[in-house]
């Protein structure tokens, strides 16, 4: 717990040993002191620790850190760990923070305590801060780890924070510079993700999202963990193998990390050159040449190797135009018999292959030395933060194992700022030992140009513009042909119907069409047709059969003499004995008088009634048929009277609307008593009815 500084009694002073040590160190010119641990002081952020952190700090040490940011900004300080012994009430073991630097500085606070949790930020009043650590005699204490940034970075975290400290599934944080620390571990790699126990900021450096010198913003996404995490070396950070974790995290990036064509072959062999190539005869006398075009990553076979092993060798790649280059991946020879690899190198870039610039990190006045391979086959990745905008890239080996040999791939994306392209000449031929190229060692960083990649228009667009309308016309024509064929086929079927009915006879046409419908539809046609007396009385003889044909009744309807006697319909009753039963398909209107044959009716439905019910019609309003025409009836007179012969006339019983006294007889099944049980009812088969043209 934090022990606040207690005021000293009047006339007393702190022990002189620590003060004397500080004065001696300052007098000797060791202004930072001997108590400083891991320290990276960037222009906007940084990290500092006490000596031996996280182990116990030694006795009698002192260190001061002077922090400066841009004018007009202020500094905020955040502690990731604080463990300073407070047994002496902050007299000999403490941490002090000052506003300003030098004699005019003013104290912000003095702190000590074991396991102290300092959640709040310490803010300065100016752009300069001094942090002083003092240790005297003590028994325990790890010391401290602190990070700082400008006050506009409200989401500052420290190098010790990991994903398990945050509950959000996605969040943004600001990582300070200097989070590549030897006492922190990470497990995993991109794109699979990192274990939730890994340091967020150190993993961000490994992934190439932020720079260890500059720090930066990270966008973290939490997801479900995986059983195994791979190890890899990237940006001078080695991730370790890890086992199953509850969750993992990945980083959202701009997406400019694609390969630029070494492995895929987009970059032709003619655009890959080198200072020299290794050549020697094998056992059979064949010449083996490890030429520059062999420097393609993941390609089988030998790599590129330099003939001379010195610091003036280079491998050059021409990208054909300016591109945004965000990283590089290298391997050694990848052949176990030849254990060759490059362990350190520089990167140079140019727009014209004449004037070269050595890559440096922002704010650093020294060339950036990239960590190379540590063995001959494993890939090592390094990222450029900020990225390089150039056409030509050179790799200059500085350290190697046995011989200079490597395979390489560049990472990045297209780049176009809408300016006129530069006219560049191909690089002049170089001798084997010629490395006297012009270089500019400047402290300025490569220009960062944020632009949108212009899509490339190819010949496929013009081809598609021609083919699409043609295909649409072809498909439209085929559809029209199919529709016409279908319509013609339907018209032909209508013209060649089963009953050969005229097309203009709508009722007869619909009757014929119904025969082609499923059986289920036929069931709905068995509904009896009922016409009132008034409707029948107004119909002409020719209209009656048409109307009767519109809907099929449940039972066969008898023909009524005197009304439809001129229409030769197919009879549904058994003919008289002695006459041959057959069908007669004759025209009821135009044919001469012919003999009419009656046909048998088709069986009635199983579920229907056994006998037919006659239609009872009021005949009072119609003229009586001629005497020579017999009326067709479905009834037999009472008694044992014989059926009438042709020429006689049986009067059809009718039921009037006024409920007359006339008694109508209805069909009654055999064996069942009728309306008058004393009178026996018999059924009469229909008689043939000849067609008379006159009386």
């Amino acid at each position: 717990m934090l022990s606040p500084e207690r005021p000293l009694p009047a006339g007393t002073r702190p022990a002189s040993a620590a003060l004397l040590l500080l004065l001696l160190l300052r007098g000797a010119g060791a202004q930072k002191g001997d108590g400083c641990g891991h320290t990276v002081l960037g222009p906007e952020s940084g990290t500092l620790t006490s000596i031996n952190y996280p182990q116990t700090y030694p006795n009698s040490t002192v260190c001061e850190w002077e922090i400066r940011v841009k004018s007009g900004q202020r500094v905020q300080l955040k502690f990731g760990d604080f463990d300073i012994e407070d047994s002496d009430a902050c007299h000999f073991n403490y941490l002090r923070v000052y506003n300003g630097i030098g004699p005019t500085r003013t104290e912000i606070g003095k702190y000590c305590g074991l396991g102290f949790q300092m959640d709040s930020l310490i803010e300065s009043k100016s752009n300069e801060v001094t942090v002083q650590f003092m240790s005297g005699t003590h028994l325990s204490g790890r010391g401290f780890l602190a990070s700082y940034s400008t006050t506009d970075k409200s989401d500052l975290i420290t190098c010790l924070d990991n994903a398990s400290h945050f509950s959000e599934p996605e969040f943004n944080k600001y990582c300070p510079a200097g989070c590549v620390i030897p006492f922190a571990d990470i497990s995993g790699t991109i794109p699979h993700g990192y274990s939730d126990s890994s340091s967020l900021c150190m993993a961000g450096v490994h992934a190439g999202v932020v720079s260890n010198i500059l720090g930066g913003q990270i966008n973290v996404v939490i997801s479900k963990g995986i059983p195994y995490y791979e190890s890899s070396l990237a940006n001078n950070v080695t991730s370790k193998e890890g086992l199953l974790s509850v969750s993992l995290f990945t980083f959202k990036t701009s997406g400019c990390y694609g390969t630029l064509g070494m492995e895929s072959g987009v970059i032709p062999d003619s655009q890959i050159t080198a200072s020299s190539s290794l050549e020697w005869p094998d056992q059979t006398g064949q010449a083996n040449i490890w030429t520059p075009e062999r420097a393609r990553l993941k390609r089988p076979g030998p790599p590129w190797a330099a003939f001379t092993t010195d610091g003036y060798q280079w491998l050059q790649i021409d990208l054909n135009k300016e591109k945004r280059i965000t990283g590089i991946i290298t391997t050694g020879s990848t052949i176990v018999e030849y254990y060759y690899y490059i362990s350190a190198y520089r990167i140079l870039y140019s727009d014209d292959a004449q004037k070269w610039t050595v890559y440096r990190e922002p704010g650093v006045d020294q060339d950036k030395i990239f960590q190379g391979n540590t063995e001959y086959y494993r890939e090592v990745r390094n990222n450029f933060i900020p990225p390089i905008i150039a056409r030509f890239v050179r790799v200059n080996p500085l350290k190697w194992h046995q011989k200079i040999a490597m395979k390489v791939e560049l990472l990045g994306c297209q780049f176009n700022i809408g300016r006129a392209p530069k006219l560049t000449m191909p690089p002049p031929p170089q001798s084997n030992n010629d490395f006297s190229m012009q270089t500019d060692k400047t402290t300025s960083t490569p220009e960062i140009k944020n632009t949108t990649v212009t899509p490339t228009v190819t010949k496929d667009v013009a081809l598609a513009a021609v083919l699409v309308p043609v295909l649409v016309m072809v498909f439209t024509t085929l559809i029209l042909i199919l529709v016409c064929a279908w319509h013609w086929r339907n018209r032909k079927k209508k013209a060649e119907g089963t009953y050969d009915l005229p097309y203009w006879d709508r009722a007869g046409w619909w009757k014929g069409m119904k025969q082609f419908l499923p059986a289920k539809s036929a069931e709905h046609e068995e509904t009896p047709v009922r016409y009132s007396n008034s409707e029948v009385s107004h119909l002409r003889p020719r209209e009656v059969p048409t109307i009767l044909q519109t809907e099929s009744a449940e039972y066969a309807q008898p023909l009524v003499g005197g009304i439809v006697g001129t229409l030769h319909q197919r009879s549904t009753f058994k003919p008289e004995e002695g006459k041959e039963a057959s069908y007669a398909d004759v025209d009821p209107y135009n044919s001469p008088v012919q003999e009419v044959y009656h046909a048998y009716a088709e069986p009635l439905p199983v579920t229907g009634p056994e006998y037919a019910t006659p239609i009872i019609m009021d005949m009072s309003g119609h003229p009586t048929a001629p005497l020579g025409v017999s009326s067709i009836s479905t009834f037999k007179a009472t008694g044992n009277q014989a059926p009438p012969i042709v020429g006689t006339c049986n009067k059809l019983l009718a039921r009037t609307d006024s409920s007359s006294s006339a008694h109508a007889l209805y069909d009654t099944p055999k064996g069942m008593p009728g309306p008058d049980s004393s009178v026996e009812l018999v059924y009469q088969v229909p008689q043939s009815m000849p067609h008379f043209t006159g009386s």
Side-chain angles (χ1 to χ4, degrees), residues 134-261:
M134 180 74 70
S135 71
T137 303
H138 66 284
L139 298 177
S140 63
R142 295 184 304 274
F144 73 96
L145 180 145
S147 298
Y148 74 89
S149 71
T150 55
T151 53
D152 59 337
K153 309 295 191 302
S154 59
D155 49 1
L156 173 68
I157 59 176
T158 69
C159 302
L160 299 180
D161 287 316
N162 55 46
S164 60
H165 295 168
F166 306 96
S167 59
E168 301 91 342
E170 182 175 346
F171 54 87
N172 293 314
K173 297 297 177 182
Y174 183 83
C175 287
C179 279
V180 178
I181 47 183
F183 45 83
D185 294 332
I186 64 170
S187 297
T189 184
I190 55 172
H192 305 296
Y194 298 87
S195 171
D196 57 1
S197 61
S198 303
S199 167
L200 285 171
C201 295
M202 191 170 176
V205 175
H206 182 272
V209 178
V210 295
S211 168
N212 187 53
I213 298 298
L214 300 175
Q217 202 78 24
I218 59 173
N219 190 342
V220 182
V221 179
I222 307 297
S223 57
K224 186 178 180 181
I226 57 178
Y228 175 75
Y229 296 90
E230 298 178 358
S231 64
S232 64
L233 174 60
N235 299 308
N236 205 25
V237 177
T238 301
S239 68
K240 300 180 179 179
E241 294 181 355
L243 300 179
L244 175 66
S245 65
V246 176
S247 61
L248 60 81
F249 63 89
T250 54
F251 300 97
K252 281 189 175 180
T253 63
S254 62
C256 188
Y257 295 95
T259 58
L260 293 182

Side-chain angles (χ1 to χ4, degrees), residues 79-99:
F79 288 95
D81 189 18
F82 193 96
D83 192 62
I84 298 177
E85 189 176 287
D86 59 348
S87 59
D88 56 357
C90 295
H91 288 301
F92 302 105
N93 296 276
Y94 59 86
L95 182 76
R96 268 183 175 168
V97 182
Y98 296 92
N99 269 317

Side-chain angles (χ1 to χ4, degrees), residues 235-424:
N235 299 308
N236 205 25
V237 177
T238 301
S239 68
K240 300 180 179 179
E241 294 181 355
L243 300 179
L244 175 66
S245 65
V246 176
S247 61
L248 60 81
F249 63 89
T250 54
F251 300 97
K252 281 189 175 180
T253 63
S254 62
C256 188
Y257 295 95
T259 58
L260 293 182
M262 286 292 288
E263 177 186 350
S264 63
V266 173
I267 301 174
D269 293 345
S270 59
Q271 294 177 201
I272 307 173
T273 56
S275 56
S276 63
S277 299
L278 182 62
E279 179 180 354
W280 81 98
D282 59 11
Q283 298 177 353
T284 62
Q286 284 291 59
N288 287 326
I289 305 177
W290 289 7
T291 53
E293 57 268 19
R294 294 181 177 271
R296 299 181 183 273
L297 189 70
K298 297 181 180 179
R299 288 288 186 92
W304 164 75
F307 182 81
T308 306
T309 53
D310 56 29
Y312 297 100
Q313 304 302 308
W314 47 264
L315 176 70
Q316 178 176 302
I317 302 171
D318 179 8
L319 299 175
N320 198 35
K321 62 180 179 179
E322 280 189 346
K323 293 188 179 180
R324 185 187 300 271
I325 309 167
T326 58
I328 183 173
I329 302 176
T330 60
T331 64
S333 66
T334 66
I335 302 177
V336 66
E337 294 85 0
Y338 306 101
Y339 205 86
Y340 306 152
Y341 61 87
I342 297 172
S343 57
Y345 58 89
R346 295 188 305 169
I347 293 294
L348 299 91
Y349 57 94
S350 173
D351 291 336
D352 55 6
Q354 300 295 325
K355 186 178 180 180
W356 296 87
T357 303
V358 182
Y359 183 81
R360 294 179 177 180
E361 291 180 309
V364 180
D365 57 357
Q366 295 180 352
D367 299 341
K368 169 74 174 179
I369 306 301
F370 292 92
Q371 169 71 52
N373 298 87
T374 58
E375 52 191 358
Y376 70 98
Y377 71 96
R378 300 196 68 174
E379 297 179 1
V380 174
R381 174 175 46 84
N382 283 284
N383 292 94
F384 307 134
I385 303 176
I388 297 173
I389 308 299
R391 171 182 173 179
F392 298 92
V393 176
R394 275 188 179 182
V395 181
N396 173 216
L398 299 178
K399 295 181 180 180
W400 53 87
H401 183 265
Q402 295 185 9
K403 285 187 178 294
I404 297 174
M406 69 183 309
K407 294 182 179 181
V408 65
E409 177 64 278
L410 295 178
L411 306 177
C413 56
Q414 300 293 332
F415 177 77
N416 189 355
I417 59 174
R419 65 186 182 186
K422 295 182 179 180
L423 298 177
T424 59

Side-chain angles (χ1 to χ4, degrees), residues 494-515:
K494 293 173 183 178
E496 298 177 358
T498 305
Y499 298 102
D500 197 16
L501 296 174
Y503 178 76
W504 53 86
D505 191 352
R506 301 296 179 179
W509 173 82
W510 177 243
K511 179 72 175 181
M513 287 300 295
K514 280 192 173 184
Q515 297 182 9

